[in-house]
Amino acid sequence: MKAVVQRVTRASVTAKSCILLYVVITNIGGEQISAIGRGICVLLGISLEDTQKEVEHMVRKILNLRVFEDESGKHWSKSVMDKQYEVLCISQFTLQCVLKGNKPDFHLAMPTEQAESFYNSFLEQLRKTYRPELIKDGKFGAYMQVHIQNDGPVTIELESPALGAATSDPKQLSKLEKQQQRKEKTRAKGPSESSKERNAPRKEDRSASSGAEGDVSSEREP
């Protein structure tokens, strides 16, 4: 799950209504869906792999992100909850874009049918954690225009921990490399050990098997 959080003095979202006239789509005006004053505007991109765990992580991060100043003017001291400001949340699948050459590809984004209920559960979690009357949103799946007056400007990118996030941690990366090296050594020893096992007496064969199992278990993380 990805989110782009912008500190705003005000923000609003409108959705255009369309009609089909002789196979030509015509816009017939915009309807304001939501508007906020001071607070944050959140653009949210949901991925195929997201679960309730990612929802809870992102809600916690967004609401506790310290992008406001305190009463003494100290920057980066207060969150939107601390200041009791508003939140405008917009679903934006394009955050899950992967470029194929110069063409955007969105196969990593959760399909619309699943994403709508997932997005609604995200909003529900936001409202449950914060004051529900201060949480506003757009119109899921609609063609929208988002008007943002960025304050600062301040824009923060957030991403929930991915399944492969361990590879970005140098310590975890070193551990994975060592595991891979042990596996490669085990594979390299395989043929000679198996030939020994074929020539060894039956009684010793059991101990050899036991030793092999010990080697495999030693590859696992404690």
Side-chain angles (χ1 to χ4, degrees), residues 4-149:
V4 173
V5 181
Q6 298 181 70
R7 187 178 71 184
V8 300
T9 51
R10 64 171 178 262
S12 63
V13 56
T14 61
K16 286 194 173 183
S17 302
C18 300
I19 57 174
L20 189 63
L21 295 175
Y22 302 105
V23 200
V24 176
I25 297 177
T26 305
N27 291 318
I28 57 172
E31 171 194 0
Q32 181 168 292
I33 305 298
S34 296
I36 64 169
R38 192 139 195 226
I40 57 175
C41 181
V42 179
L43 306 177
L44 188 77
I46 302 168
S47 83
L48 276 169
E49 298 178 343
D50 287 335
T51 64
Q52 186 60 29
K53 184 178 179 181
E54 280 72 41
V55 169
E56 292 169 1
H57 172 88
M58 194 61 77
V59 166
R60 185 170 64 252
K61 281 292 184 184
I62 289 169
L63 293 179
N64 289 285
L65 188 63
R66 295 187 295 176
V67 292
F68 298 99
E69 59 186 31
D70 63 14
E71 294 72 19
S72 64
K74 184 180 178 182
H75 296 291
W76 319 112
S77 300
K78 297 292 183 180
S79 68
V80 70
M81 286 202 300
D82 294 330
K83 303 293 282 186
Q84 295 292 290
Y85 288 156
E86 295 176 288
V87 178
L88 176 60
C89 191
I90 309 293
S91 175
Q92 187 167 9
F93 72 91
T94 58
L95 288 177
Q96 295 295 339
C97 166
V98 175
L99 288 179
K100 289 187 174 181
N102 292 321
K103 183 181 178 181
D105 180 271
F106 306 109
H107 72 276
L108 294 180
M110 186 177 286
T112 305
E113 302 75 25
Q114 299 168 249
E116 184 169 9
S117 60
F118 195 90
Y119 176 68
N120 288 333
S121 71
F122 174 84
L123 290 174
E124 185 180 341
Q125 186 71 25
L126 271 178
R127 290 173 176 135
K128 192 182 296 182
T129 309
Y130 190 32
R131 293 170 55 187
E133 69 275 14
L134 296 181
I135 305 294
K136 308 291 176 63
D137 71 294
K139 188 174 182 180
F140 186 90
Y143 183 90
M144 293 177 283
Q145 293 184 332
V146 184
H147 307 272
I148 300 170
Q149 187 166 303

Side-chain angles (χ1 to χ4, degrees), residues 128-187:
K128 192 182 296 182
T129 309
Y130 190 32
R131 293 170 55 187
E133 69 275 14
L134 296 181
I135 305 294
K136 308 291 176 63
D137 71 294
K139 188 174 182 180
F140 186 90
Y143 183 90
M144 293 177 283
Q145 293 184 332
V146 184
H147 307 272
I148 300 170
Q149 187 166 303
N150 196 315
D151 181 28
V154 173
T155 301
I156 309 290
E157 295 182 10
L158 299 176
E159 187 168 358
S160 60
L163 294 174
T167 56
S168 63
D169 184 343
K171 291 182 180 179
Q172 291 295 327
L173 186 58
S174 176
K175 186 184 289 185
L176 290 171
E177 286 174 347
K178 288 178 181 178
Q179 286 178 341
Q180 185 62 28
Q181 287 171 1
R182 285 201 298 271
K183 288 178 181 178
E184 288 173 358
K185 286 179 182 178
T186 302
R187 282 197 293 267

